[in-house]
């Protein structure tokens, strides 16, 4: 996961000629506003959208082992290949890109030199399974998930878990009782950590007692399920807006929940979404990675801007 700065350039104007795929039923006070636009397609599996705050968007194509970049002129290029099968991405305020490499590590990437630095690659002398998603906190720490997807068999860690890398580099295991913890994000005031399991239909929230220290889990919401039993399950990635509403990717689309866990509505897309982030003018453009394509749609409410500062 990957949600930080609002783009200062007018990305939505760049893509006026992009294909309009379908109109979304708006959620009162939230959106969408207008039609969903497919910007690019023909990828293998898109994930990890992130904005650098300078008008550039990055996202991963996991099977192709790439991080792609859409610059402020709308030009699509390959940013990093191989990428270590990166999944979730996120920028800090200093412009460094942080990523979950599913090859077993938490990394940072210099956008100019493309130099990769390994921040954490093991816990208790064993490599991570396959880090999936991350969120930076304001103290310089990183929460990240480590589920089963793309992990060697047997799993190196033996469990699927959520970890915290503190600013001093210390890594702590925080959660190990969720079935495939996938998406992770903080509330705008960073007092709560939301964890999205892919193998459970209930989403969970944890009080943040101090950076890297969580209280007991509580159910946050129950994801709506499709009629087709073969497609039922949990969530994947997520993003959060300035009002604390959560946008959780699922088989039905982006399910939107209030900070209290009330289901406000679902934003349907042509393909099942994997992850999302806010960017664009006023931070009101929702960018969504969905299987083989990359979509955008305008919203009424801006996304939350994380101010994480991470030392390497």
């Amino acid at each position: 996961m990957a949600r930080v700065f609002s783009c200062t350039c007018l990305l939505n104007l760049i893509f006026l000629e992009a294909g309009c795929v379908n109109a979304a039923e708006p959620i009162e006070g939230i959106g969408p506003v207008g039609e969903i636009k497919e910007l690019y397609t023909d990828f293998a599996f898109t994930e990890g959208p992130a904005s650098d705050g300078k008008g550039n968007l990055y996202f991963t194509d996991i099977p192709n082992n790439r991080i792609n970049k859409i610059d402020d002129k709308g030009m699509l290029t390959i940013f990093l290949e191989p990428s270590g099968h990166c999944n979730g991405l996120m920028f800090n305020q200093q412009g460094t890109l942080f990523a979950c490499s599913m090859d077993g590590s938490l990394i940072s990437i210099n956008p100019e030199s493309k130099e990769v630095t390994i921040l954490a690659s093991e816990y208790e002398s064993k490599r991570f399974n396959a880090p999936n998603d991350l969120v930076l906190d304001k103290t310089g720490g990183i929460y990240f998930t480590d589920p089963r997807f793309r992990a060697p068999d047997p799993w190196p860690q033996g469990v699927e878990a959520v970890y915290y890398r503190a600013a001093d580099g210390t890594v702590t295991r925080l959660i190990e009782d969720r079935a495939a913890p996938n998406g992770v994000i903080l509330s705008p005031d960073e007092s709560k950590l939301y964890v999205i399991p892919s193998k459970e239909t209930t989403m969970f929230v944890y009080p943040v007692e101090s950076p890297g220290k969580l209280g007991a889990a509580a159910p946050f919401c129950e994801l709506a399920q499709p009629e087709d039993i073969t497609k039922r399950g949990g969530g994947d990635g997520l993003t959060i807006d300035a009002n604390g509403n959560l946008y959780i990717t699922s088989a039905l689309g982006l399910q939107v929940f209030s900070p209290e866990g009330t289901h406000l509505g679902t934003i349907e897309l042509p393909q099942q979404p994997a992850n999302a982030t806010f960017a664009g003018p006023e931070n009101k453009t929702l960018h969504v990675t969905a299987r083989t394509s990359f979509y955008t749609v305008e919203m009424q409410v801006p996304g939350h801007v994380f101010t994480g500062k991470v030392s390497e």
Side-chain angles (χ1 to χ4, degrees):
M1 24 201 46
R3 308 138 287 258
V4 206
F5 299 107
S6 61
C7 292
T8 56
C9 66
L10 300 181
L11 275 174
N12 64 337
L13 296 181
I14 291 170
F15 302 120
L16 281 177
E17 296 182 0
C20 294
V21 180
N22 70 319
E25 186 68 27
I27 301 167
E28 185 176 358
I30 291 177
V33 178
E35 296 178 306
I36 294 172
K37 299 176 183 178
E38 181 186 78
L39 300 189
Y40 293 100
T41 189
D42 294 329
F43 303 103
F45 191 95
T46 57
E47 253 286 6
S51 166
D52 67 357
K54 300 176 182 178
N56 304 300
L57 284 160
Y58 296 73
F59 65 98
T60 57
D61 186 352
I62 299 171
N64 284 326
N65 203 12
R66 296 171 180 163
I67 298 176
N68 294 305
K69 176 182 177 181
I70 304 173
D71 68 17
D72 58 0
K73 295 179 176 60
M75 180 68 68
L76 174 69
T77 57
I78 296 172
F79 168 70
L80 188 66
E81 182 182 24
S83 69
H85 296 96
C86 280
N87 191 332
L89 307 175
M90 194 173 191
F91 280 88
N92 69 0
Q93 279 192 324
Q94 289 70 48
T96 300
L97 178 60
F98 293 82
C100 285
S101 165
M102 299 183 83
D103 288 356
S105 59
L106 180 69
I107 64 175
S108 67
I109 306 168
N110 183 312
E112 300 301 324
S113 66
K114 301 184 182 179
E115 179 183 358
V116 175
T117 301
I118 296 176
L119 303 178
S121 59
E122 59 182 34
Y123 179 75
E124 294 184 344
S125 301
K126 299 177 183 177
R127 67 157 271 184
F128 294 113
N129 299 325
N132 190 290
D133 199 12
L134 74 166
V135 62
L136 316 182
D137 73 14
K138 60 189 176 184
T139 72
I142 308 173
Y143 295 90
F144 64 100
T145 58
D146 188 42
R148 67 186 71 179
F149 312 112
R150 292 196 69 91
D153 189 16
W155 308 337
Q157 286 295 327
V159 296
E160 300 177 294
V162 179
Y163 296 88
Y164 182 75
R165 180 194 184 272
D168 64 4
T170 303
V171 177
T172 306
R173 181 185 288 168
L174 303 180
I175 303 166
E176 57 181 40
D177 59 352
R178 296 270 69 86
N182 196 325
V184 62
I185 206 166
L186 289 159
S187 59
D189 64 2
E190 303 193 6
S191 67
K192 299 175 183 177
L193 184 77
Y194 299 94
V195 176
I196 309 301
S198 289
K199 299 294 183 180
E200 302 177 51
T201 60
T202 303
M203 306 296 102
F204 291 87
V205 61
Y206 297 78
V208 179
E209 297 177 349
S210 61
K213 183 178 180 182
L214 304 178
F220 171 68
C221 68
E222 190 76 16
L223 287 185
Q225 298 296 320
E227 293 183 4
D228 185 348
I229 193 171
T230 65
K231 295 183 178 180
R232 295 179 183 177
D236 193 340
L238 77 166
T239 191
I240 192 166
D241 68 27
N243 296 329
N245 299 307
L246 292 176
Y247 301 66
I248 303 173
T249 61
S250 73
L252 293 177
L254 276 167
Q255 297 192 36
V256 184
F257 291 86
S258 73
E260 294 73 38
T262 301
H263 183 228
L264 303 176
T266 298
I267 302 171
E268 299 179 4
L269 290 104
Q271 299 185 66
Q272 181 174 332
N275 220 322
T277 194
F278 282 90
E282 301 180 3
N283 212 29
K284 290 184 178 180
T285 306
L286 193 58
H287 295 74
V288 185
T289 52
R291 298 309 188 258
T292 63
S293 299
F294 188 95
Y295 299 93
T296 65
V297 62
E298 300 304 317
M299 305 297 291
Q300 290 178 258
V301 62
H304 171 66
V305 177
F306 285 97
T307 59
K309 296 180 179 180
V310 178
S311 60
E312 298 181 25

